[in-house]
Coordinates of all heavy atoms in Angstrom, one line a residue:
M1 N -21.4 -22.9 54.9 CA -22.7 -22.6 55.3 C -22.7 -22.3 56.8 O -22.1 -23.0 57.6 CB -23.7 -23.7 55.0 CG -25.1 -23.4 55.2 SD -26.1 -24.7 54.5 CE -27.6 -24.3 55.3
M2 N -23.5 -21.3 57.1 CA -23.5 -20.9 58.5 C -24.5 -21.7 59.3 O -25.7 -22.0 58.9 CB -24.0 -19.4 58.6 CG -23.7 -18.7 59.9 SD -23.9 -17.0 59.8 CE -25.3 -16.8 60.8
M3 N -24.1 -22.2 60.5 CA -25.0 -23.0 61.4 C -26.0 -22.0 62.1 O -25.6 -20.9 62.5 CB -24.2 -23.7 62.4 CG -23.5 -24.9 61.9 SD -24.6 -26.2 61.5 CE -25.2 -26.7 63.1
P4 N -27.2 -22.4 62.2 CA -28.2 -21.6 63.0 C -27.8 -21.6 64.5 O -27.4 -22.6 65.0 CB -29.5 -22.2 62.7 CG -29.2 -23.6 62.3 CD -27.9 -23.6 61.7
N5 N -28.0 -20.5 65.1 CA -27.7 -20.4 66.5 C -28.9 -20.9 67.3 O -30.0 -20.3 67.3 CB -27.5 -18.9 66.9 CG -27.0 -18.7 68.3 OD1 -27.0 -19.7 69.1 ND2 -26.5 -17.5 68.6
I6 N -28.8 -22.1 67.9 CA -29.9 -22.8 68.6 C -30.3 -22.0 69.8 O -31.5 -21.9 70.1 CB -29.4 -24.2 69.0 CG1 -29.0 -25.0 67.8 CG2 -30.5 -24.9 69.8 CD1 -30.1 -25.3 66.8
A7 N -29.4 -21.4 70.5 CA -29.8 -20.6 71.7 C -30.6 -19.4 71.3 O -31.6 -19.1 72.0 CB -28.5 -20.1 72.4
L8 N -30.3 -18.8 70.2 CA -31.1 -17.6 69.7 C -32.5 -18.1 69.3 O -33.5 -17.4 69.7 CB -30.4 -17.0 68.5 CG -31.1 -15.8 67.9 CD1 -31.0 -14.6 68.9 CD2 -30.3 -15.4 66.6
I9 N -32.6 -19.2 68.6 CA -33.9 -19.7 68.2 C -34.8 -20.1 69.4 O -35.9 -19.8 69.6 CB -33.8 -20.9 67.3 CG1 -33.1 -20.4 66.0 CG2 -35.1 -21.6 67.0 CD1 -32.7 -21.5 65.0
A10 N -34.1 -20.8 70.4 CA -34.8 -21.2 71.6 C -35.3 -20.0 72.4 O -36.4 -20.0 72.9 CB -33.9 -22.1 72.5
T11 N -34.5 -19.0 72.6 CA -34.8 -17.8 73.3 C -36.0 -17.1 72.6 O -36.9 -16.6 73.3 CB -33.6 -16.9 73.5 OG1 -32.5 -17.6 74.0 CG2 -33.9 -15.7 74.4
A12 N -36.0 -17.0 71.3 CA -37.0 -16.4 70.6 C -38.4 -17.1 70.8 O -39.4 -16.5 70.9 CB -36.7 -16.2 69.1
L13 N -38.3 -18.4 70.8 CA -39.5 -19.2 71.0 C -40.1 -19.0 72.4 O -41.3 -18.9 72.6 CB -39.2 -20.7 70.7 CG -39.1 -21.1 69.3 CD1 -38.7 -22.6 69.2 CD2 -40.4 -20.9 68.6
V14 N -39.2 -19.0 73.4 CA -39.6 -18.8 74.8 C -40.3 -17.4 74.9 O -41.3 -17.3 75.5 CB -38.4 -19.0 75.7 CG1 -38.8 -18.4 77.1 CG2 -38.0 -20.4 75.8
L15 N -39.7 -16.4 74.3 CA -40.2 -15.1 74.4 C -41.6 -15.0 73.7 O -42.5 -14.4 74.2 CB -39.3 -14.1 73.7 CG -39.7 -12.6 73.9 CD1 -39.8 -12.2 75.3 CD2 -38.7 -11.7 73.2
A16 N -41.7 -15.7 72.5 CA -43.0 -15.7 71.8 C -44.1 -16.4 72.7 O -45.2 -15.9 72.8 CB -42.9 -16.4 70.5
I17 N -43.7 -17.5 73.4 CA -44.7 -18.2 74.2 C -45.1 -17.3 75.4 O -46.3 -17.2 75.7 CB -44.1 -19.5 74.7 CG1 -44.0 -20.5 73.5 CG2 -44.9 -20.1 75.8 CD1 -43.2 -21.7 73.8
V18 N -44.1 -16.6 76.0 CA -44.5 -15.7 77.1 C -45.4 -14.6 76.7 O -46.3 -14.2 77.4 CB -43.1 -15.2 77.7 CG1 -43.4 -14.0 78.7 CG2 -42.4 -16.3 78.5
M19 N -45.1 -14.1 75.5 CA -46.0 -13.0 75.0 C -47.4 -13.4 74.7 O -48.4 -12.7 75.0 CB -45.3 -12.3 73.8 CG -44.1 -11.6 74.1 SD -43.3 -10.8 72.7 CE -44.4 -9.4 72.5
V20 N -47.6 -14.7 74.2 CA -48.9 -15.2 74.0 C -49.6 -15.4 75.4 O -50.8 -15.0 75.5 CB -48.8 -16.6 73.3 CG1 -50.1 -17.3 73.3 CG2 -48.4 -16.3 71.8
I21 N -48.9 -15.9 76.4 CA -49.5 -16.0 77.7 C -49.9 -14.7 78.3 O -51.0 -14.5 78.8 CB -48.6 -16.8 78.6 CG1 -48.4 -18.2 78.2 CG2 -49.1 -16.7 80.1 CD1 -47.3 -18.9 78.9
M22 N -49.1 -13.6 78.1 CA -49.4 -12.3 78.6 C -50.7 -11.8 77.8 O -51.5 -11.1 78.4 CB -48.2 -11.3 78.4 CG -47.1 -11.6 79.4 SD -45.8 -10.4 79.4 CE -45.5 -10.0 77.7
A23 N -50.7 -12.0 76.5 CA -51.9 -11.5 75.8 C -53.2 -12.2 76.3 O -54.2 -11.6 76.4 CB -51.7 -11.8 74.3
I24 N -53.1 -13.5 76.6 CA -54.3 -14.2 77.1 C -54.7 -13.6 78.5 O -55.9 -13.4 78.7 CB -54.0 -15.7 77.2 CG1 -53.9 -16.3 75.8 CG2 -55.0 -16.4 78.0 CD1 -53.3 -17.7 75.8
D25 N -53.7 -13.3 79.3 CA -54.0 -12.8 80.6 C -54.7 -11.4 80.5 O -55.6 -11.1 81.2 CB -52.8 -12.6 81.5 CG -52.4 -14.0 82.1 OD1 -53.2 -14.9 82.2 OD2 -51.2 -14.1 82.6
I26 N -54.2 -10.6 79.6 CA -54.7 -9.2 79.4 C -56.2 -9.4 78.8 O -57.1 -8.6 79.3 CB -53.8 -8.4 78.4 CG1 -52.5 -8.1 79.1 CG2 -54.5 -7.2 77.9 CD1 -51.5 -7.5 78.2
R27 N -56.4 -10.3 77.9 CA -57.7 -10.5 77.4 C -58.7 -10.9 78.5 O -59.8 -10.5 78.5 CB -57.7 -11.5 76.3 CG -59.0 -11.7 75.6 CD -59.0 -12.8 74.6 NE -58.6 -14.1 75.1 CZ -59.3 -14.9 75.8 NH1 -60.6 -14.6 76.0 NH2 -58.9 -16.0 76.3
M28 N -58.2 -11.8 79.4 CA -59.1 -12.3 80.4 C -59.5 -11.2 81.4 O -60.6 -11.1 81.9 CB -58.4 -13.4 81.2 CG -58.4 -14.7 80.4 SD -57.4 -16.0 81.2 CE -58.4 -16.4 82.6
I29 N -58.5 -10.3 81.7 CA -58.8 -9.2 82.6 C -59.8 -8.2 82.0 O -60.8 -7.9 82.6 CB -57.5 -8.4 82.9 CG1 -56.6 -9.3 83.9 CG2 -57.8 -7.1 83.6 CD1 -55.2 -8.7 84.1
F30 N -59.6 -7.9 80.7 CA -60.5 -6.9 80.1 C -61.9 -7.6 79.9 O -62.9 -6.9 80.0 CB -60.0 -6.4 78.8 CG -59.0 -5.3 78.9 CD1 -57.6 -5.5 78.6 CD2 -59.3 -4.1 79.5 CE1 -56.7 -4.5 78.7 CE2 -58.4 -3.1 79.7 CZ -57.1 -3.3 79.3
E31 N -61.9 -8.9 79.6 CA -63.2 -9.6 79.4 C -64.0 -9.5 80.7 O -65.2 -9.3 80.7 CB -62.9 -11.0 79.0 CG -64.2 -11.8 78.8 CD -63.8 -13.3 78.4 OE1 -62.9 -13.4 77.5 OE2 -64.3 -14.2 79.0
R32 N -63.3 -9.8 81.8 CA -64.0 -9.8 83.1 C -64.5 -8.4 83.5 O -65.6 -8.2 84.0 CB -63.1 -10.3 84.2 CG -63.7 -10.5 85.5 CD -63.6 -11.9 86.0 NE -64.2 -12.0 87.3 CZ -63.5 -12.5 88.3 NH1 -62.3 -13.0 88.1 NH2 -64.0 -12.6 89.5
L33 N -63.7 -7.4 83.2 CA -64.1 -6.0 83.5 C -65.2 -5.6 82.7 O -66.2 -4.9 83.2 CB -62.9 -5.0 83.3 CG -61.7 -5.1 84.3 CD1 -60.6 -4.3 83.9 CD2 -62.2 -4.8 85.7
T34 N -65.2 -5.9 81.4 CA -66.3 -5.5 80.5 C -67.6 -6.2 80.9 O -68.7 -5.6 80.9 CB -65.9 -5.9 79.1 OG1 -64.7 -5.3 78.7 CG2 -67.0 -5.5 78.1
R35 N -67.5 -7.5 81.2 CA -68.7 -8.3 81.6 C -69.3 -7.7 82.9 O -70.5 -7.5 83.0 CB -68.3 -9.7 81.9 CG -69.5 -10.6 82.2 CD -69.1 -12.1 82.3 NE -67.7 -12.3 82.1 CZ -67.1 -13.2 82.8 NH1 -67.7 -13.9 83.7 NH2 -65.8 -13.4 82.6
Y36 N -68.5 -7.3 83.9 CA -69.0 -6.7 85.1 C -69.6 -5.3 84.8 O -70.7 -5.0 85.4 CB -67.9 -6.6 86.2 CG -68.5 -6.2 87.5 CD1 -69.2 -7.1 88.2 CD2 -68.3 -4.9 88.0 CE1 -69.7 -6.7 89.5 CE2 -68.8 -4.5 89.2 CZ -69.5 -5.5 90.0 OH -70.0 -5.1 91.2
R37 N -69.0 -4.6 83.9 CA -69.5 -3.2 83.6 C -70.9 -3.4 82.9 O -71.8 -2.5 83.2 CB -68.5 -2.6 82.6 CG -68.8 -1.1 82.4 CD -67.7 -0.4 83.1 NE -67.8 1.0 82.7 CZ -67.5 1.9 83.6 NH1 -67.2 1.6 84.8 NH2 -67.6 3.2 83.2
R38 N -71.1 -4.4 82.1 CA -72.4 -4.6 81.5 C -73.4 -5.0 82.5 O -74.6 -4.6 82.4 CB -72.3 -5.7 80.4 CG -71.6 -5.2 79.2 CD -71.6 -6.2 78.1 NE -70.8 -5.7 77.0 CZ -70.1 -6.5 76.2 NH1 -70.0 -7.8 76.5 NH2 -69.3 -6.1 75.3
I39 N -73.0 -5.8 83.5 CA -74.0 -6.3 84.5 C -74.5 -5.1 85.3 O -75.7 -5.0 85.6 CB -73.3 -7.3 85.4 CG1 -73.1 -8.6 84.6 CG2 -74.2 -7.6 86.6 CD1 -72.3 -9.6 85.4
I40 N -73.6 -4.2 85.7 CA -74.0 -3.1 86.6 C -74.5 -1.9 85.8 O -74.9 -0.9 86.4 CB -72.9 -2.6 87.5 CG1 -71.7 -2.0 86.8 CG2 -72.4 -3.8 88.4 CD1 -70.7 -1.4 87.7
G41 N -74.6 -2.0 84.5 CA -75.0 -0.8 83.7 C -76.5 -0.5 83.8 O -76.9 0.6 83.5
E42 N -77.3 -1.4 84.4 CA -78.7 -1.2 84.5 C -79.1 -0.4 85.7 O -80.2 0.1 85.8 CB -79.4 -2.5 84.5 CG -79.1 -3.4 83.4 CD -79.5 -4.9 83.6 OE1 -80.0 -5.2 84.7 OE2 -79.3 -5.7 82.7
Y43 N -78.2 -0.3 86.7 CA -78.5 0.3 88.0 C -78.3 1.8 87.9 O -77.6 2.4 87.0 CB -77.6 -0.3 89.1 CG -77.9 -1.7 89.3 CD1 -77.1 -2.7 88.8 CD2 -79.0 -2.1 90.1 CE1 -77.3 -4.1 89.1 CE2 -79.3 -3.4 90.3 CZ -78.5 -4.4 89.8 OH -78.7 -5.7 90.0
P44 N -78.9 2.6 88.9 CA -78.6 4.0 89.0 C -77.2 4.4 89.2 O -76.4 3.5 89.7 CB -79.5 4.5 90.1 CG -80.4 3.3 90.5 CD -79.8 2.1 89.9
P45 N -76.7 5.6 88.8 CA -75.3 5.9 89.0 C -74.7 5.7 90.4 O -73.6 5.3 90.5 CB -75.2 7.4 88.5 CG -76.4 7.6 87.7 CD -77.5 6.6 88.2
T46 N -75.5 6.0 91.4 CA -74.9 5.9 92.7 C -74.6 4.4 93.1 O -73.6 4.1 93.7 CB -75.9 6.5 93.8 OG1 -77.2 5.9 93.6 CG2 -76.0 8.0 93.7
L47 N -75.6 3.6 92.7 CA -75.3 2.1 92.9 C -74.2 1.6 92.1 O -73.4 0.7 92.5 CB -76.6 1.3 92.7 CG -77.6 1.3 93.8 CD1 -78.9 0.5 93.4 CD2 -77.0 0.6 95.0
R48 N -74.1 2.1 90.8 CA -73.0 1.7 90.0 C -71.7 2.0 90.6 O -70.7 1.2 90.5 CB -73.1 2.3 88.6 CG -74.0 1.5 87.6 CD -73.9 2.1 86.3 NE -74.8 3.3 86.3 CZ -75.0 4.1 85.3 NH1 -74.4 3.9 84.2 NH2 -75.8 5.1 85.5
R49 N -71.5 3.2 91.1 CA -70.3 3.6 91.7 C -69.9 2.7 92.9 O -68.8 2.2 93.1 CB -70.3 5.1 92.2 CG -70.1 6.0 91.0 CD -69.8 7.4 91.5 NE -71.0 8.0 92.2 CZ -72.0 8.6 91.6 NH1 -71.9 8.8 90.3 NH2 -73.0 9.1 92.3
L50 N -71.0 2.4 93.7 CA -70.8 1.5 94.9 C -70.4 0.1 94.4 O -69.4 -0.4 95.0 CB -72.1 1.5 95.7 CG -72.1 0.5 96.9 CD1 -71.1 1.0 97.9 CD2 -73.5 0.4 97.5
F51 N -71.1 -0.4 93.5 CA -70.7 -1.8 93.0 C -69.3 -1.8 92.4 O -68.6 -2.8 92.5 CB -71.8 -2.2 91.9 CG -73.1 -2.6 92.5 CD1 -74.2 -2.5 91.7 CD2 -73.2 -3.0 93.8 CE1 -75.5 -2.8 92.3 CE2 -74.5 -3.3 94.4 CZ -75.6 -3.2 93.6
W52 N -69.0 -0.7 91.7 CA -67.6 -0.7 91.0 C -66.5 -0.7 92.1 O -65.5 -1.3 92.0 CB -67.5 0.5 90.1 CG -66.3 0.4 89.2 CD1 -65.2 1.1 89.3 CD2 -66.1 -0.5 88.1 NE1 -64.3 0.7 88.4 CE2 -64.8 -0.2 87.6 CE3 -66.9 -1.4 87.5 CZ2 -64.3 -0.9 86.5 CZ3 -66.4 -2.1 86.4 CH2 -65.1 -1.9 85.9
R53 N -66.8 0.1 93.2 CA -65.8 0.1 94.3 C -65.7 -1.3 94.9 O -64.6 -1.7 95.3 CB -66.2 1.2 95.3 CG -65.9 2.5 94.9 CD -66.0 3.5 96.0 NE -66.4 4.8 95.5 CZ -67.5 5.5 95.8 NH1 -68.3 5.0 96.6 NH2 -67.7 6.6 95.2
Q54 N -66.8 -1.9 95.1 CA -66.8 -3.2 95.7 C -66.1 -4.2 94.8 O -65.4 -5.1 95.3 CB -68.2 -3.7 96.0 CG -68.8 -3.0 97.2 CD -70.2 -3.5 97.5 OE1 -70.8 -4.1 96.6 NE2 -70.8 -3.2 98.6
F55 N -66.3 -4.1 93.5 CA -65.7 -5.0 92.6 C -64.2 -4.9 92.6 O -63.5 -5.8 92.5 CB -66.2 -4.7 91.1 CG -65.6 -5.6 90.1 CD1 -65.9 -6.9 90.0 CD2 -64.7 -5.0 89.2 CE1 -65.3 -7.7 89.0 CE2 -64.1 -5.8 88.2 CZ -64.4 -7.2 88.1
A56 N -63.7 -3.6 92.8 CA -62.3 -3.4 92.8 C -61.6 -4.1 94.0 O -60.5 -4.6 93.9 CB -62.0 -1.9 93.0
W57 N -62.4 -4.3 95.1 CA -61.8 -5.0 96.2 C -62.1 -6.5 96.2 O -61.3 -7.3 96.7 CB -62.3 -4.4 97.5 CG -61.8 -3.0 97.8 CD1 -62.4 -1.9 97.6 CD2 -60.4 -2.7 98.2 NE1 -61.6 -0.8 97.8 CE2 -60.4 -1.3 98.2 CE3 -59.3 -3.5 98.5 CZ2 -59.2 -0.7 98.6 CZ3 -58.2 -2.8 98.9 CH2 -58.1 -1.4 98.9
I58 N -63.3 -6.9 95.8 CA -63.8 -8.3 95.9 C -63.6 -9.0 94.6 O -63.1 -10.1 94.6 CB -65.2 -8.3 96.4 CG1 -65.4 -7.6 97.7 CG2 -65.8 -9.7 96.4 CD1 -66.8 -7.4 98.1
G59 N -64.1 -8.5 93.5 CA -64.2 -9.3 92.3 C -63.1 -9.1 91.3 O -63.2 -9.8 90.2
F60 N -62.2 -8.2 91.5 CA -61.2 -8.0 90.4 C -60.3 -9.2 90.2 O -60.0 -9.9 91.2 CB -60.3 -6.8 90.9 CG -59.4 -6.3 89.8 CD1 -59.9 -5.5 88.8 CD2 -58.1 -6.7 89.7 CE1 -59.0 -5.1 87.7 CE2 -57.2 -6.3 88.7 CZ -57.7 -5.5 87.7
P61 N -60.0 -9.5 89.0 CA -59.3 -10.7 88.7 C -57.8 -10.6 89.1 O -56.9 -10.5 88.3 CB -59.4 -10.9 87.2 CG -59.7 -9.5 86.7 CD -60.4 -8.8 87.8
Y62 N -57.5 -10.7 90.4 CA -56.2 -10.5 90.9 C -55.3 -11.6 90.5 O -54.1 -11.4 90.3 CB -56.2 -10.4 92.4 CG -56.7 -9.1 92.9 CD1 -58.0 -9.0 93.6 CD2 -56.1 -7.9 92.7 CE1 -58.5 -7.8 94.0 CE2 -56.6 -6.7 93.1 CZ -57.8 -6.7 93.8 OH -58.3 -5.5 94.2
A63 N -55.8 -12.8 90.3 CA -55.0 -14.0 89.9 C -54.4 -13.7 88.5 O -53.2 -13.9 88.3 CB -55.8 -15.2 89.8
Q64 N -55.2 -13.2 87.6 CA -54.7 -12.8 86.2 C -53.7 -11.7 86.3 O -52.7 -11.6 85.6 CB -55.8 -12.5 85.3 CG -56.5 -13.6 84.7 CD -57.6 -14.2 85.6 OE1 -58.1 -13.5 86.5 NE2 -58.0 -15.4 85.4
L65 N -53.9 -10.7 87.2 CA -53.0 -9.6 87.3 C -51.6 -10.1 87.9 O -50.6 -9.7 87.4 CB -53.6 -8.5 88.3 CG -52.8 -7.2 88.4 CD1 -52.8 -6.5 87.1 CD2 -53.4 -6.4 89.5
V66 N -51.6 -10.9 88.9 CA -50.4 -11.5 89.4 C -49.7 -12.3 88.3 O -48.5 -12.2 88.2 CB -50.7 -12.3 90.7 CG1 -49.4 -13.1 91.1 CG2 -51.1 -11.4 91.8
S67 N -50.4 -13.1 87.6 CA -49.9 -13.9 86.5 C -49.2 -13.0 85.5 O -48.1 -13.2 85.0 CB -50.9 -14.7 85.9 OG -50.4 -15.4 84.8
L68 N -49.9 -11.9 85.1 CA -49.4 -10.9 84.1 C -48.1 -10.3 84.6 O -47.1 -10.2 83.8 CB -50.4 -9.9 83.8 CG -50.1 -8.8 82.8 CD1 -49.8 -9.4 81.4 CD2 -51.1 -7.7 82.7
I69 N -48.0 -9.9 85.9 CA -46.8 -9.3 86.4 C -45.7 -10.3 86.4 O -44.6 -10.0 86.1 CB -47.1 -8.8 87.8 CG1 -48.0 -7.5 87.8 CG2 -45.8 -8.4 88.5 CD1 -48.6 -7.1 89.1
F70 N -46.0 -11.6 86.8 CA -45.0 -12.6 86.7 C -44.4 -12.8 85.3 O -43.2 -12.8 85.1 CB -45.5 -13.9 87.3 CG -44.6 -15.1 87.0 CD1 -43.5 -15.3 87.8 CD2 -44.9 -16.0 86.0 CE1 -42.7 -16.4 87.6 CE2 -44.0 -17.1 85.8 CZ -42.9 -17.3 86.6
W71 N -45.3 -12.9 84.3 CA -44.8 -13.1 83.0 C -44.1 -11.9 82.4 O -43.2 -12.0 81.6 CB -46.0 -13.5 82.1 CG -46.4 -14.9 82.4 CD1 -47.6 -15.3 82.9 CD2 -45.7 -16.1 82.2 NE1 -47.7 -16.6 83.0 CE2 -46.5 -17.2 82.6 CE3 -44.4 -16.4 81.8 CZ2 -46.1 -18.5 82.6 CZ3 -44.0 -17.7 81.7 CH2 -44.8 -18.7 82.2
L72 N -44.5 -10.7 82.9 CA -43.7 -9.5 82.5 C -42.3 -9.6 83.1 O -41.3 -9.2 82.4 CB -44.4 -8.2 83.0 CG -45.5 -7.8 82.1 CD1 -46.3 -6.6 82.8 CD2 -45.1 -7.3 80.8
L73 N -42.2 -10.1 84.3 CA -40.8 -10.2 84.9 C -40.0 -11.3 84.2 O -38.8 -11.2 84.2 CB -41.0 -10.5 86.4 CG -41.5 -9.4 87.3 CD1 -41.8 -9.9 88.7 CD2 -40.6 -8.2 87.3
V74 N -40.7 -12.3 83.7 CA -39.9 -13.3 82.9 C -39.6 -12.8 81.5 O -38.5 -13.1 81.0 CB -40.8 -14.6 82.8 CG1 -40.2 -15.6 81.8 CG2 -41.0 -15.2 84.1
A75 N -40.5 -12.0 80.9 CA -40.2 -11.5 79.5 C -39.1 -10.5 79.4 O -38.4 -10.5 78.4 CB -41.5 -10.9 79.0
F76 N -38.9 -9.7 80.4 CA -37.8 -8.7 80.3 C -36.4 -9.3 80.2 O -35.7 -9.0 79.3 CB -37.9 -7.7 81.5 CG -36.9 -6.6 81.4 CD1 -36.9 -5.6 80.4 CD2 -35.8 -6.6 82.3 CE1 -35.9 -4.7 80.3 CE2 -34.8 -5.7 82.2 CZ -34.9 -4.7 81.2
P77 N -36.0 -10.2 81.2 CA -34.7 -10.8 81.0 C -34.6 -11.7 79.7 O -33.5 -11.8 79.1 CB -34.5 -11.7 82.2 CG -35.6 -11.3 83.2 CD -36.7 -10.6 82.4
T78 N -35.7 -12.3 79.3 CA -35.7 -13.1 78.1 C -35.4 -12.2 76.9 O -34.6 -12.6 76.0 CB -37.0 -13.8 78.0 OG1 -37.3 -14.6 79.2 CG2 -37.0 -14.8 76.8
A79 N -36.1 -11.0 76.9 CA -35.8 -10.1 75.8 C -34.4 -9.6 75.8 O -33.8 -9.4 74.7 CB -36.8 -9.0 75.8
C80 N -33.9 -9.3 77.0 CA -32.5 -8.9 77.1 C -31.5 -10.0 76.6 O -30.6 -9.7 75.9 CB -32.2 -8.5 78.5 SG -33.0 -7.0 79.1
Q81 N -31.8 -11.2 76.9 CA -31.0 -12.3 76.5 C -31.1 -12.5 75.0 O -30.1 -12.7 74.3 CB -31.4 -13.6 77.2 CG -30.7 -14.8 76.7 CD -29.3 -14.9 77.2 OE1 -28.8 -14.1 78.0 NE2 -28.6 -15.9 76.6
L82 N -32.3 -12.3 74.4 CA -32.4 -12.4 73.0 C -31.6 -11.3 72.3 O -31.0 -11.6 71.3 CB -33.9 -12.3 72.6 CG -34.3 -12.5 71.2 CD1 -33.9 -13.9 70.7 CD2 -35.8 -12.2 71.0
A83 N -31.7 -10.1 72.8 CA -30.9 -9.0 72.2 C -29.4 -9.3 72.3 O -28.7 -9.0 71.3 CB -31.3 -7.7 72.9
R84 N -29.0 -9.8 73.4 CA -27.6 -10.1 73.6 C -27.1 -11.2 72.6 O -26.0 -11.1 72.0 CB -27.3 -10.5 75.0 CG -25.8 -10.7 75.4 CD -25.6 -11.1 76.8 NE -26.0 -12.5 77.0 CZ -25.3 -13.6 76.7 NH1 -24.2 -13.4 76.1 NH2 -25.7 -14.8 77.0
L85 N -27.9 -12.2 72.5 CA -27.6 -13.3 71.5 C -27.6 -12.8 70.1 O -26.8 -13.2 69.2 CB -28.5 -14.5 71.7 CG -28.4 -15.3 73.0 CD1 -29.5 -16.3 73.1 CD2 -27.0 -16.0 72.9
A86 N -28.6 -11.9 69.8 CA -28.7 -11.4 68.4 C -27.5 -10.5 68.0 O -27.1 -10.5 66.9 CB -30.0 -10.7 68.2
M87 N -26.9 -9.8 69.0 CA -25.9 -8.9 68.7 C -24.5 -9.5 68.8 O -23.5 -8.9 68.4 CB -25.9 -7.7 69.7 CG -27.1 -6.9 69.6 SD -27.2 -6.1 68.0 CE -28.2 -4.7 68.3
A88 N -24.4 -10.7 69.4 CA -23.1 -11.4 69.5 C -22.6 -11.8 68.2 O -23.3 -12.2 67.3 CB -23.3 -12.6 70.4
P89 N -21.3 -11.7 68.0 CA -20.7 -12.1 66.7 C -20.8 -13.6 66.6 O -20.7 -14.4 67.5 CB -19.2 -11.7 66.9 CG -19.0 -11.4 68.3 CD -20.3 -11.1 69.0
A90 N -21.0 -14.0 65.4 CA -21.2 -15.4 65.1 C -19.9 -16.2 65.2 O -18.9 -15.9 65.1 CB -21.7 -15.6 63.7

């Protein structure tokens, strides 16, 4: 009987966790953008453009964006490691 490759299973679990975290970050970014868009929807178009420009500098969820970039940088080598382990002869 063939023994399961523990490193392959652990790497797959780590990659799955990283992908869940990235999905949460993406959801939080879109939720914040949508909420702000609804708030400024009542104003005239000129004020909406002004508020949107200010939001890009002041209120954009940069913490989630930096977190997303970090997790993308973690996910790429993890995916490469997973592929290497999956292709390795048993």
Side-chain angles (χ1 to χ4, degrees):
M1 185 170 165
M2 197 169 114
M3 282 291 292
N5 190 347
I6 301 298
L8 182 66
I9 295 169
T11 306
L13 284 174
V14 168
L15 186 59
I17 291 168
V18 167
M19 292 182 76
V20 167
I21 293 171
M22 288 189 315
I24 291 170
D25 283 342
I26 291 170
R27 185 186 56 80
M28 288 173 68
I29 289 172
F30 280 116
E31 179 181 314
R32 185 118 176 239
L33 291 174
T34 305
R35 186 174 2 141
Y36 189 73
R37 191 111 171 141
R38 286 185 188 142
I39 290 171
I40 66 170
E42 307 164 357
Y43 294 102
T46 53
L47 276 176
R48 271 187 283 182
R49 281 192 295 273
L50 175 67
F51 288 152
W52 192 254
R53 283 190 208 122
Q54 287 178 345
F55 178 74
W57 291 104
I58 298 169
F60 190 80
Y62 289 110
Q64 279 85 20
L65 185 65
V66 169
S67 174
L68 180 64
I69 291 170
F70 169 76
W71 289 113
L72 282 170
L73 290 173
V74 169
F76 181 72
T78 306
C80 292
Q81 174 72 8
L82 183 64
R84 188 179 72 77
L85 287 170
M87 295 297 204

